[in-house]
Amino acid sequence: MKTSHKNLLFPYTVLSLMILCHGKDLFFNDNGNLVLPGSYNIPWMAGIEDFRDLSLLTIPGTHDSMALHGGPEAECQVLSLKDQLRVGIRYLDLKVFALGNTMYVMHGVMYQHSSFKEVLDTVQAFLSEFKTEAVIIRVKPESFEKDSVNQMVQSLIGNDKHVWVNSGMPTMGQVRGKIVFVQKSTFTLGIPLIDTESKDGNKVNNIKDKDNAIIKHLNQAAEAFGGDNIVLTYSSGTGFGTFWGMFLTPKRVAEKVNPWLNQYLRQFYPNHPRPCFGVIAMDFPGIDLIQTVINLNWW
């Protein structure tokens, strides 16, 4: 299966750069009041075969999933965690700061009004209601207490059978109803994670360059999927800290990138099988973009 996807993206790269344009529709969302259609398929993973490895799925995720507070330069999402899960997000990106006996969810120096335990409680409540689903969580330890986060997370989850902390790649059937941790750098619980983005790769000077970077990273993801790692690509970015992109907040980047990304991904719908891109972590994703990512799983 893996070899049949290799090099699928290359023929489309030049064409897509010429024809895809930016706009604002249901692919970008900055409205925190989620209203789902009555027919909306919340438990979309129910349609994934039990035998498929998690690394063979294309999964919609959010970058800095809890970054709803702190002003334009800090805010990356608008939907609450509960609503993100209901709309189809299955990968969460969390920066965690350990202080005393509590782990706080942060974005830089901005506290995001939630503890890590509260995040786990929300996810577990969702999985109790929708037992066919699985939610992948990446923990990024922050500040001077990085080394203690591993131990604190392990103590918090204990021997909970509804949490996957093994390094082996599970099948969908093995993780239904479970939280799945991924490991990278100083956090060592769960499945190894490959991040296609280089250091400072989230810095955006202009949108066209960001488009090109996303295409490059999706090419890498399509090559690397299906192994013993979860592969992650970020479509998010910010101009904060750059000169030419100083006014490109995460929201303004997403407003331009998200409709483009939706159209770029949809060009692969005629492919049988469709390419696998692993996790795509987004800022301010709209319902239609999330559905476009999900529908790459149906061949």
Side-chain angles (χ1 to χ4, degrees):
M1 181 179 296
K2 180 177 177 180
T3 55
S4 65
H5 293 85
K6 285 185 179 293
N7 301 320
L8 278 172
L9 301 183
F10 179 75
Y12 299 93
T13 300
V14 176
L15 177 63
S16 65
L17 285 174
M18 292 190 296
I19 67 174
L20 300 188
C21 59
H22 296 289
K24 182 176 181 180
D25 206 332
L26 299 178
F27 317 117
F28 164 84
N29 174 50
D30 60 354
N31 184 349
N33 298 314
L34 177 67
V35 179
L36 291 177
S39 60
Y40 197 81
N41 183 28
I42 294 175
W44 64 267
M45 283 180 158
I48 303 294
E49 303 92 338
D50 279 347
F51 61 80
R52 284 178 71 180
D53 286 352
L54 208 58
S55 60
L56 294 174
L57 303 184
T58 301
I59 298 172
T62 45
H63 155 257
D64 271 310
S65 303
M66 298 294 290
L68 280 73
H69 310 281
E73 297 295 348
E75 294 165 9
C76 299
Q77 308 300 329
V78 69
L79 293 179
S80 68
L81 176 57
K82 179 180 178 180
D83 284 346
Q84 287 183 41
L85 296 171
R86 295 182 70 83
V87 82
I89 296 298
R90 295 294 179 268
Y91 170 90
L92 303 176
D93 181 46
L94 304 173
K95 292 185 172 70
V96 175
F97 179 87
L99 183 63
N101 296 320
T102 304
M103 290 177 287
Y104 299 93
V105 180
M106 308 289 291
H107 186 197
V109 298
M110 300 293 181
Y111 173 52
Q112 295 304 315
H113 302 189
S114 179
S115 69
F116 184 69
K117 183 181 185 305
E118 288 170 331
V119 169
L120 292 187
D121 288 345
T122 299
V123 175
Q124 288 174 329
F126 172 80
L127 292 172
S128 294
E129 182 179 0
F130 298 100
K131 295 180 172 59
T132 59
E133 307 306 288
V135 177
I136 301 171
I137 294 181
R138 178 184 185 182
V139 175
K140 298 180 183 177
E142 292 283 278
S143 194
F144 47 83
E145 292 291 342
K146 289 183 179 181
D147 293 340
S148 64
V149 170
N150 255 40
Q151 183 178 353
M152 292 177 71
V153 171
Q154 184 66 73
S155 298
L156 185 61
I157 62 178
N159 296 315
D160 192 336
K161 64 180 181 179
H162 295 106
V163 180
W164 183 275
V165 294
N166 299 331
S167 60
M169 182 60 62
T171 63
M172 188 68 236
Q174 289 177 298
V175 293
R176 294 196 192 277
K178 296 181 180 180
I179 291 170
V180 180
F181 281 111
V182 290
Q183 60 167 294
K184 187 173 175 62
S185 302
T186 56
F187 188 78
T188 59
L189 300 177
I191 306 167
L193 180 74
I194 296 175
D195 185 347
T196 61
E197 189 170 82
S198 59
K199 185 179 180 181
D200 294 328
N202 68 322
K203 299 299 183 183
V204 180
N205 283 293
N206 66 74
I207 299 300
K208 184 176 180 181
D209 286 348
K210 181 61 180 177
D211 294 346
N212 289 334
I214 293 172
I215 291 173
K216 176 183 176 181
H217 296 153
L218 289 175
N219 269 288
Q220 293 171 355
E223 289 288 324
F225 86 98
D228 297 327
N229 307 277
I230 293 291
V231 183
L232 167 67
T233 295
Y234 288 107
S235 69
S236 55
T238 179
F240 185 66
T242 71
F243 179 77
W244 297 109
M246 67 176 69
F247 299 114
L248 289 171
T249 64
K251 182 182 290 188
R252 294 184 73 176
V253 172
E255 186 175 4
K256 294 178 179 296
V257 166
N258 288 7
W260 171 87
L261 177 62
N262 181 81
Q263 195 172 351
Y264 181 78
L265 294 175
R266 285 187 64 86
Q267 71 182 304
F268 300 106
Y269 276 21
N271 291 30
H272 297 285
R274 294 172 181 173
C276 177
F277 297 113
V279 174
I280 303 177
M282 303 166 281
D283 283 348
F284 299 96
I287 290 176
D288 286 353
L289 176 55
I290 292 169
Q291 286 300 308
T292 291
V293 174
I294 291 171
N295 287 338
L296 287 166
N297 292 294
W298 317 133
W299 297 347

